[in-house]
Amino acid sequence: MKSSQSTDYFEDDQEDFKDALMQMDVDSLPAKADSPTRVALPEKRKLEQLEEGDEEESDVNPHILATMRQKTDKNDIYGASVFGDYGQYMARKRAKLQIQNADMTEKKSNIFEGIEIYINGRVEPSLQELRGMIVEHGGIFHAYLTKKSLVTHILAMNLTPAKVKEFARMRVARPAWIVESVKAGFLLPWTDFKLVIDQRADLAQGKRGDQTLLRPVQASQLGKADQAAGKPATTIKDPIYMTDPVTMEQAARIPSYALNKSNLAAQRLMAQPGWKQENTATSGTKFINNYYENSRLHHLSMWKAELKDLVSRAREQNDSADGPSSGDADEIQTRKQMGHGVSMKGAELLKTWEASSPSKKGKETAQPVLQRVYMHCDFDSFFVAASLLAHPEHRGKPTVVCHSQSTGEGAASTSEVASSSYEARATGIHNGMSLGQARQLCPEVITLPYEFERYKELSLKFYTILLSFTDELQAVSVDEALLDVSHAVANLKVQTLSQDPASVTTDFAKLLAEQIRARVLEVTQCQISIGIGENLLLARIASRRAKPAGSYHLLAQDAEQFLAPLPLDMIWGVGHATKVKAEEKLQIKTIGDILPKPRTSLVRIFGPAMGDKLYKAARGLDDSKLQLDQKRKSVSAEINFGIRFEANDQAALFMRKLGQEVASRLQAIDMKGRLLTIKIMKRHPEAPVEPPKFMGHGICEQFSKSVPLVDASNSSGATHDGSIIGEAAWKLLDSFNFDPRELRGLGLQVTKLEGKEGTTTESEPKLESGQKKLSFPASPDKGAKSTSDQAEPVVDGELSTSFEGLTAETLDRATLDELPEDIREEILGQLRESANKVVEVPDAQAKQPVPVIAPVDDDIVEVPGPSSLASETPRAQQKAAGAVSASNTPTKSVGHITRQLHPKTKTILAPNTSILFTKQKEANQTSREELQELGIDPDWYFDLPKDLQREQLLHGRESARKKKFGSKGLMNLAERAGSPSMAKAGGFGFGLDRGRLARSPSIDAPRNEGVKLEVKFPEMVALNLASRAEQADQGAKSHTKNPNKPNPPTDLVNMGDIQAHIKRWVVTCHKGQLAPSPADIDALRKWLIKCLKMEGTGTGIEKATIIMKWWRELLRAHWGEVRDTKSMKFDEEKLGGIEQVNEAWWRTFWETKAEMDIVVRDMIGGKLSLK
DNA sequence: ATCCTCCCCTAC
DNA sequence: TAAGGTAGGGGAGGAT
């Protein structure tokens, strides 16, 4: 590993800080040390922790630090400094860089950047050697321990009792930490080397855990002594990792795990029937919805599915664009020509060039092989980075993202840290630990709430950019992707060489990586790191080394040496279990330890696959390929949190709801399954009734069982019927005869999937036109109806936050052309605007990638198929339409804009399509007949004020036109999830938060509701609630897209009117046993959100609260409470009918509440209270 | 031998 | 209060 390849920080903007630097006293750094001695690596370490190991910025030199501190109140090294906020943060970064550059001769890396160390007592290696290593790799050595706060860590091999006490709040590590980190090339978690004074062995700990943590450790911040009883205070982090201890074995790994300790707070709450009913799985649907909305892991999974689909469709689009059907795909073509990776031209040229070059000869000439280049790109502490965009004041401070926002100092929160800033990691905090543990390590740690919406937006931007470089991309997760940039690199090389032949020695892969990084930083304001390698193994490992904020090309020739000192689980696919097995059976601790082992031994112990993987990995080899276009093999849903039943009817209700959940997910991707497997977690007899983790499952025994699913209406028996699945699920659970009170986790998985017709594997045969095979059968695709007389497809909001949207907004020209001119102009204008935002400098600068999203989707273009489909759900329609039109007409793209790039607030307030179209000025002349056809009650209609009548009418017409495509507004999750686009996406909805939102009314409730009643909620302005500023704001952005359109109605000026309006809505729907229509829901939600955001926060929130309470009361009065355990016996008709409508209403209510909570949280923190 | 089922393991 | 999901790879061992 050559340091020359190490990360480059902010190489672009150094000048800005010249002056800042001038003021700084840049001392020469100490001399270098000699090579470290080899030391065994600690056994536990996790990838994430390694990542954590790299730290963020801070000052390089004590003098600078001191200077900064002088002007600061806090001693916190990461605290505010003279430069203030973000500016200073960046300044320090640069300052550091400058200094490093100035000292280039000595500096080997930045491994210890931000680390300030004091060495206590005699050490081995010697103090001189350690000091050399520290300084040489970017750290700061302190000869004296004047002010403890200036030192981030202390190195020692032993401590006197007095010192133990003195260093009680410090991080004390063994010298091996430095030695091993240098050897590894990046900062290893210091906790792995925590100095243990009293050695009792200890051992491992939680899997994710890293630490070998010991107990008496330095008394460090952690905690006090060790734990002994399951005091939360155990040593350091006692991971009560959630996911962790499920079995007794796992629990045993966690020294501090309070096996016998019950969570008293939880116990107390659980004792309250009311609380339990409201907050545990006992409440059924409400709990499920709420839970999934807030589960980060659930979101992670959903996002991944969506992104895979996004990428899949992007590739598909490109494929067809390559084909003969050039036609309208100009955008695609353009992108291909401009982009780096799409065109093969460069690669071909390069092959030719290389083939003809003297060095390459022989058969290669005939078939030159393109050098593979893979990149692993991911964000640096994604969640935190995302939140910091809105809270720049916290930059540079130890920050974590978690659910609990309680400020209580002593609060031993069991909320899990999902993401931590590098500053936080420097204190020993790491992802996966509880907030309580984090607070022990760093009492002043700042907690930020989740912002799922934002993550998705950033992710879209990220993927959009990546796709502009290459479409050979594998979505790994919301913040991570693997790229095959072989062609892009080749292109860049050819391009550059043709202009500057002298640049042969340039590392074009790294050059490209920096271009990508710069682009992502520019667009997202977040740092990503990129690892480069000729295979996936190397690329993934290189990205660790690249962090934070850098890129690193791990050359094959250096691979073996680079990998040797790394812990086994740095290898992708190797986790805790494998690591332990390797150590126990073969004494293998590092990747290098694998080298002497024969392949046969490895295979014998780890099996053919893993054995071979390890054997190759040690040699830097890996033949795995990017996984593109995988077909779905299973669909599942499980909840292992908050499961606390009293009786079987509650468990039965839950299983049925879960069955419906799984069914919904199957329907969303248009698949059916033939095998149902249930997974049960039951409290371990020796585990406390209430585990340490609040509402957690604690230590459990697990069971599973499967049964074939049989759907009489389908020849193969495969089904996606919620009733069938739900009933089978309950039977399975019931067959175990478990005491319902002992259940702690339940899950359902459906396998043996098949597509609409035939098996998943081959559903494409039916696609006629021998076009290229569409990799994603379920994806409808761009077959836009040329004849659509329905303007509806041109949506804007719809894509907005959904991933598909990201994809690109593809507009059907014909559709567009049919729009009234003013509206068309408006849309095009917006698109242009967006485009400009994204595309840096339009035009032909051939080298800059065009950040335009791949023209993937068609959601927009999608038009409902023939009327025969009308009776199906929106999703089904989409699917069907897609299936039919799939390979024919290529999409006509008018523009590809990523609406996602718009600021969040805008997204939220942006008018949805329905408004757009509704606003068309048309006479509101109608007849009772038409009204009835539109599902509007004539009497009610004529009672409305004129403006409202118009709204209603237009809305009704629009709805009728788009039939069930209803929710186009999509600004809110709910709709998004329910949108047709999502359906095809294969994801279950994506709502930003929860798929189910979207689905709610449209899927779970009886069909044909949506169109019936359309209630248009008045614009905020009309309520006189909005301040002048708000009005101005609205006028400027969120208002209507049609400038000519007059302001909305002004009749509803008081709360009473609004309430009456809602009442009408609820009552009318109740009469017809209709679920709320997406359009109405959207309208109400938008109204509420606007209300919340009004100037003078308090007022708006208060009014919104009143409305919510009012709505809730109406629901209670007309629909009653949802959870009626009595009527829970499975009755298909019931579930399929009224009960579902009922549920749809409640779900809508709670989802709306959740959505508002998000807004409120962003505004003032906390949630909306409806008490 | 190969396939199927029931797991465990891993990743984010 | 907290929100410990979800999908795919693959191994062990039995059925074919």
Side-chain angles (χ1 to χ4, degrees), chain A residues 43-47 207-208 567-582 606 610 613-614:
Chain A
E43 67 168 353
K44 334 221 91 204
R45 227 176 279 143
K46 241 263 160 148
L47 295 188
K207 59 190 253 182
R208 285 173 189 226
L568 261 201
D569 56 4
M570 277 290 275
I571 299 171
W572 198 90
V574 174
H576 181 263
T578 304
K579 196 164 114 177
V580 168
K581 191 190 276 187
F606 302 101
M610 182 63 79
K613 176 206 278 284
L614 293 176

Side-chain angles (χ1 to χ4, degrees), chain A residues 532-604:
Chain A
I532 309 161
E534 66 173 31
N535 60 45
L536 296 177
L537 168 80
L538 299 182
R540 279 194 252 242
I541 287 186
S543 75
R544 303 289 168 185
R545 177 67 159 72
K547 281 180 180 305
S551 59
Y552 183 71
H553 189 164
L554 177 49
L555 301 174
Q557 63 195 65
D558 304 326
E560 197 170 306
Q561 186 189 352
F562 183 96
L563 297 172
L566 304 181
L568 261 201
D569 56 4
M570 277 290 275
I571 299 171
W572 198 90
V574 174
H576 181 263
T578 304
K579 196 164 114 177
V580 168
K581 191 190 276 187
E583 186 163 351
E584 293 178 346
K585 309 232 175 173
L586 294 172
Q587 285 73 54
I588 289 176
K589 289 185 173 178
T590 68
I591 296 177
D593 293 341
I594 297 173
L595 286 170
K597 310 291 181 187
R599 189 195 296 258
T600 49
S601 309
L602 297 170
V603 168
R604 171 164 35 85

Side-chain angles (χ1 to χ4, degrees), chain A residues 483-496:
Chain A
L483 279 52
D484 178 341
V485 289
S486 308
H487 293 112
V489 170
N491 286 347
L492 185 59
K493 190 171 181 180
V494 169
Q495 228 167 51
T496 309

Side-chain angles (χ1 to χ4, degrees), chain A residues 940 948 951-952 955 1013-1018 1061-1062 1064-1066 1068-1069 1077 1079-1084:
Chain A
W940 174 74
L948 268 189
E951 295 263 354
Q952 288 301 313
H955 211 65
L1013 175 69
E1014 299 287 357
V1015 176
K1016 216 46 190 90
F1017 289 86
H1061 206 53
I1062 293 175
R1064 217 147 30 207
W1065 180 41
V1066 173
T1068 308
C1069 287
S1077 77
D1080 291 337
I1081 297 168
D1082 185 42
L1084 174 57

Side-chain angles (χ1 to χ4, degrees), chain A residues 695-715:
Chain A
M695 298 261 272
H697 52 58
I699 297 172
C700 289
E701 293 179 302
Q702 297 196 63
F703 305 84
S704 72
K705 191 188 259 187
S706 34
V707 290
L709 285 169
V710 181
D711 189 328
S713 69
N714 186 5
S715 58

Side-chain angles (χ1 to χ4, degrees), chain A residues 195 448 611 755-756 798 809 1165:
Chain A
L195 177 63
L448 295 172
K756 197 94 189 182
E798 177 143 11
E809 294 196 352

Side-chain angles (χ1 to χ4, degrees), chain A residues 358-396:
Chain A
S359 58
K360 302 252 177 187
K361 294 242 153 67
K363 53 184 177 178
E364 284 190 18
T365 305
Q367 202 58 258
V369 176
L370 179 66
Q371 171 65 48
R372 302 319 298 188
V373 182
Y374 293 99
M375 287 187 182
H376 178 234
C377 309
D378 72 337
F379 280 85
D380 295 340
S381 39
F382 187 54
F383 288 4
V384 166
S387 292
L388 287 177
L389 293 178
H391 297 284
E393 71 273 16
H394 292 143
R395 272 185 199 280

